Amino acid sequence: MRIPSIRDDRPRRDDTRRATASAGAPGDAPPSPARPVHLCGTWLAISTGDQAAVLAAVDLSDPVPVTMREGESAWNRDHHSWDTDGRRRNTRMYVTPVIDGWTLVFGDLPGSAHPASGLWARDAQALCARLSARFGAAHLYGMSCGDSWTMWCLAEAGTVRRYYELEAGERVGSHPAEDGFRLPDEDEDLPPDAYDGIDPGDVDAVMARRAELYERLALPEVCYATDIAALTSVDPSTFGPHTRVSGQGVLALTAHGRRQ
């Protein structure tokens, strides 16, 4: 299988002009509004507007300007690739413009162990700690569109304050962003007769009963990475006309991509 080039997602000539305008040159048109991102995989949120410093810190090179839609599409396409040996998934990452004061990096963690090795959580925490020592705050979030997997790693000033990953059982610290929520692996605490008289196949009836029970019993809703991201940095799934965007997004090569 051919390894896709980073140039595969290079903007067309007219898109390049629009991308340049979005960088904020005087008299040019404002950038297009951001749109919600389909989230499946991991992304970093780094508290800085210095994209060049982020590229260097994450060991990325050869940046190619892309629109936000092109960058998001490339990330999703790579993550869902049937290239099972990981060659495509590890060759490039999408680095966003500055979004509400944060620079986001979408893609598999550079230089990290394979999740199946059991060392991925260690590498994720080490990366966030290192980046937060440089930029003040660095967060990693993860979601899956195929199952309930979710995770977050919140590091500040060189220290991991919280690491949570569903299913893997990895836990470090705590964080006030979780206050008032139920973690995904905690029991709902519903009474045994909660759904008596409800047809399990009737989704609307089940959800209506659940909503009624949660309100009556004052039960906390479950939180996922997007909920924590919204409270600690930015939630890509809610991007829209209200989102402040400045600068230019890029696709950049990882060390593995440079070797390819």
Side-chain angles (χ1 to χ4, degrees):
M1 177 181 293
R2 181 182 75 85
I3 303 299
S5 167
I6 194 171
R7 311 294 174 186
D8 288 354
D9 296 282
R10 191 182 185 93
R12 298 186 305 274
R13 185 183 302 274
D14 58 339
D15 285 334
T16 303
R17 285 199 295 268
R18 285 194 293 271
T20 301
S22 72
D28 285 336
S32 299
R35 68 173 186 176
V37 180
H38 172 78
L39 298 173
C40 187
T42 56
W43 70 97
L44 285 160
I46 304 172
S47 181
T48 182
D50 190 341
Q51 187 186 78
V54 169
L55 290 169
V58 189
D59 191 23
L60 299 174
S61 67
D62 304 280
V64 174
V66 291
T67 65
M68 292 181 70
R69 292 191 179 189
E70 288 169 331
E72 296 157 16
S73 296
W75 171 58
N76 271 291
R77 191 160 54 248
D78 291 354
H79 183 73
H80 293 94
S81 171
W82 287 97
D83 175 18
T84 55
D85 64 5
R87 292 181 299 168
R88 175 170 181 161
R89 291 175 60 170
N90 296 319
T91 57
R92 61 187 181 177
M93 302 183 83
Y94 165 48
V95 183
T96 69
V98 183
I99 299 178
D100 287 339
W102 295 78
T103 297
L104 277 55
V105 183
F106 290 87
D108 286 2
L109 298 185
S112 66
H114 190 279
S117 71
L119 301 177
W120 187 87
R122 177 207 65 186
D123 290 351
Q125 292 173 55
L127 176 64
C128 287
R130 177 174 63 82
L131 292 173
S132 72
R134 167 68 176 82
F135 298 103
H139 304 163
L140 177 70
Y141 309 97
M143 293 281 288
S144 172
C145 66
D147 55 38
S148 60
W149 180 81
T150 190
M151 62 79 54
W152 50 91
C153 180
L154 310 176
E156 299 174 7
T159 300
V160 174
R161 293 189 57 193
R162 176 58 163 160
Y163 183 95
Y164 173 86
E165 184 177 357
L166 181 63
E167 300 171 356
E170 187 76 15
R171 303 287 189 277
V172 172
S174 62
H175 198 278
E178 299 168 1
D179 292 350
F181 286 106
R182 175 173 59 86
L183 293 173
D185 55 351
E186 293 179 342
D187 292 335
E188 278 190 296
D189 292 328
L190 292 175
D193 61 349
Y195 294 103
D196 282 359
I198 298 294
D199 178 3
D202 188 341
V203 176
D204 291 338
V206 170
M207 295 307 295
R209 174 64 62 84
R210 180 183 182 276
E212 184 271 326
L213 288 167
Y214 266 63
E215 181 177 1
R216 175 161 55 86
L217 301 175
L219 296 175
E221 289 286 351
V222 67
C223 62
Y224 295 94
T226 48
D227 300 296
I228 302 303
L231 293 169
T232 57
S233 60
V234 290
D235 174 10
S237 70
T238 63
F239 287 172
H242 61 281
T243 305
R244 292 180 293 110
V245 179
S246 63
Q248 173 67 62
V250 298
L251 282 174
L253 292 175
T254 64
H256 181 62
R258 291 191 290 273
R259 288 194 296 270
Q260 296 296 327

